Amino acid sequence: MNFTLPQATVDAREVDALILALTLASLIVLVLVFGLMARYMVKYRAGSPIDRGKPPQKTWRLEISWTIATLAAFFGLFIWGADLYVRLFQPPANALQIYVVGKQWMWKVEHPGGQREINALHIPIRQPVQLVMTSEDVIHDFSVPAFRIKHDVLPGRYETLWFTAEKAGVYHLFCTQLCGEGHASMIGQVVAIEPEEYERWLGGGAKGETFVEAGADVFRRHGCGGCHGDQGAGGIGPALAGLYGAEVKLADGAIVKADEAYLRDCIITPQKRRVAGYPEIMPSFAGQIDEEHLLKLIAYIKSLKRKAPS
Ligand code: CUA
């Protein structure tokens, strides 16, 4: 535990309070158990003139009360921790999405407007931010101690993390998973700034295409429209417009929700989750699209809305 570490997010205080409560509860048990042990070791030491003739009777009142007291205390801690965990993993719908790709040995960050940075993450304060993270190669771990966040970043999967920074400042960003020779240099900084300042920052600097525009480009280059229609309207292959968030019936009868992970699977391992009613002709794009472009392509597919029936 490091009490000198700044608490830069709303949840940081609660995480600290929970850890403190756990430590105190463990400390009380420790003192009680070792205290009683020490006391009886002295009291019943060899040669002490104590009367060992009449052992005390078992009392149910004592037995039941300590069992219930410890059960209540630790169950309370469990509920507190579980509730906090669930909240930490449910981003609010209005969260600002920023994409993070881990790579030996750097963090590549891309903002929805197309602004990129390396080993740095600019975020507005007092606004929920959701990171969508993946890795280009091995397992990394995105950790910002001042925010009390730490999450594995895995190849082939999208992991998300969200937080609301409270205090403006520059905070350390670490990779906390041994990921090879350059692991120790896989560090950076999180720059938390006022929302107006963030807007200014987004406006300045090198600005490429937006995420969705770049994704449309990937869609064109790989000829996705050949089967899925112009702007994903559908054709030989299923329609992509309006697909994100919808429920999809698979060939094996299962029903899945079309989230980011599902879209990714469809592109990389299409034979794994085939959509009902379509021929088995979707080729795999594994090895042809890297993680950064895949994120963009998925952002584009997410942006496609179903046309209102005319
Ligand atoms: Cu990446 Cu350690």
Side-chain angles (χ1 to χ4, degrees), residues 98 109-117 121-122 198 201-202 211:
I98 299 178
V109 173
E110 212 153 325
H111 296 259
Q115 298 83 354
R116 303 141 167 264
E117 40 187 341
L121 170 64
H122 282 73
Y198 176 71
W201 180 84
L202 285 180
F211 227 68

Side-chain angles (χ1 to χ4, degrees), residues 164-188:
T164 305
E166 259 192 327
K167 281 185 219 145
V170 177
Y171 306 103
H172 287 297
L173 157 65
F174 295 104
C175 173
T176 41
Q177 184 67 254
L178 186 60
C179 55
E181 200 189 342
H183 160 70
S185 62
M186 201 168 159
I187 51 176

Side-chain angles (χ1 to χ4, degrees), residues 26-213:
S26 310
L27 209 66
I28 290 170
V29 173
L30 188 89
V31 167
L32 203 70
V33 169
F34 280 87
L36 285 172
M37 249 168 72
R39 186 169 162 237
Y40 290 124
M41 270 158 66
V42 173
K43 194 172 168 190
Y44 291 99
R45 69 188 182 278
S48 76
I50 196 124
D51 177 13
R52 294 161 206 260
K54 31 182 178 4
Q57 291 299 304
K58 179 176 189 155
T59 74
W60 279 107
R61 208 173 336 141
L62 185 67
E63 187 90 17
I64 289 171
S65 50
W66 80 253
T67 306
I68 289 179
T70 44
L71 185 75
F74 283 92
F75 212 64
L77 283 171
F78 168 74
I79 291 172
W80 182 7
D83 173 63
L84 179 60
Y85 184 86
V86 168
R87 273 184 285 137
L88 287 179
F89 282 89
Q90 280 180 333
N94 64 343
L96 171 71
Q97 276 197 351
I98 299 178
Y99 301 88
V100 174
V101 177
K103 185 177 188 271
Q104 283 172 323
W105 289 277
M106 63 174 90
W107 293 108
K108 293 207 252 180
V109 173
E110 212 153 325
H111 296 259
Q115 298 83 354
R116 303 141 167 264
E117 40 187 341
I118 284 179
N119 291 342
L121 170 64
H122 282 73
I123 48 152
I125 56 171
R126 295 187 302 274
Q127 189 181 332
V129 172
Q130 184 188 19
L131 303 179
V132 178
M133 309 184 294
T134 189
S135 164
E136 197 87 69
D137 36 49
V138 300
I139 301 176
H140 301 281
D141 191 300
F142 188 93
S143 161
V144 183
F147 291 2
R148 309 295 189 274
I149 54 170
K150 178 179 178 304
H151 200 83
D152 273 1
V153 178
L154 308 166
R157 297 230 341 225
Y158 293 135
E159 295 293 326
T160 68
L161 191 62
W162 81 278
F163 53 82
T164 305
E166 259 192 327
K167 281 185 219 145
V170 177
Y171 306 103
H172 287 297
L173 157 65
F174 295 104
C175 173
T176 41
Q177 184 67 254
L178 186 60
C179 55
E181 200 189 342
H183 160 70
S185 62
M186 201 168 159
I187 51 176
Q189 51 190 21
V190 177
V191 185
I193 46 184
E194 291 289 336
E196 309 82 63
E197 213 182 318
Y198 176 71
E199 288 304 321
R200 263 204 304 281
W201 180 84
L202 285 180
K207 193 175 165 189
E209 300 166 291
T210 67
F211 227 68
V212 172
E213 283 163 10

